Amino acid sequence: MDSRTRTHPRDGLRKSTLARDKRARDQHRGVFARLAFAAPEKALFVSPIVDMERLICDRICEAGITEQILRERGMYPAREGDMLSWDYLCWVRAHPAKDWHCPQYILYGENDSMTDLATIRTYTAKSGAELIIVPQGEHWFHTPEQLAVMADWERKHK
């Protein structure tokens, strides 16, 4: 039997299939790596989470626990069915957001429940991002009025 068509003992796949899949995977990794490091011409953000660590720490306080309790339990239920994760908090701390090195434009709803106005203003002051605050806007732009504002904003920055 030809080695290219012999069944692989672990999973029953033919070796030729395994080799082809590995090549495809490697090609995709290369494409995604280039995308991850390519500097964009500009960046448009709608309701961005600009400080994930702060968001998680705020959620820890809202849940009435401490970081120590989260560390001991690993996972803890938060509001609205979300789960707090000690591993994710550690990952966020180990991988802080990088500067975009391009013009940034932020569309932010004044009633955003995920990022408060002070946090978004601190970010824009440091980054130089242009900030547009939408009255009665929320974190998720979904009403016809909010969607119209977002569409106009996107056209302006095309």
Side-chain angles (χ1 to χ4, degrees), residues 78-148:
R79 68 179 178 150
E80 301 172 8
D82 291 338
M83 291 294 287
L84 295 168
S85 163
W86 176 253
D87 288 342
Y88 185 59
L89 177 57
C90 291
W91 187 90
V92 165
R93 287 178 171 161
H95 299 89
K98 305 277 191 253
D99 189 354
W100 283 80
H101 300 293
C102 68
Q104 299 173 54
Y105 305 91
I106 296 175
L107 189 64
Y108 173 83
E110 75 174 345
N111 297 323
D112 192 315
S113 61
M114 302 292 283
T115 302
D116 63 39
L117 184 57
T119 301
I120 204 81
R121 286 198 187 279
T122 298
Y123 177 83
T124 57
K126 287 180 185 174
S127 67
E130 176 186 291
L131 175 63
I132 300 295
I133 300 173
V134 179
Q136 283 85 47
E138 302 166 59
H139 181 71
W140 177 46
F141 282 59
H142 64 284
T143 67
E145 297 82 14
Q146 293 167 354
L147 293 173

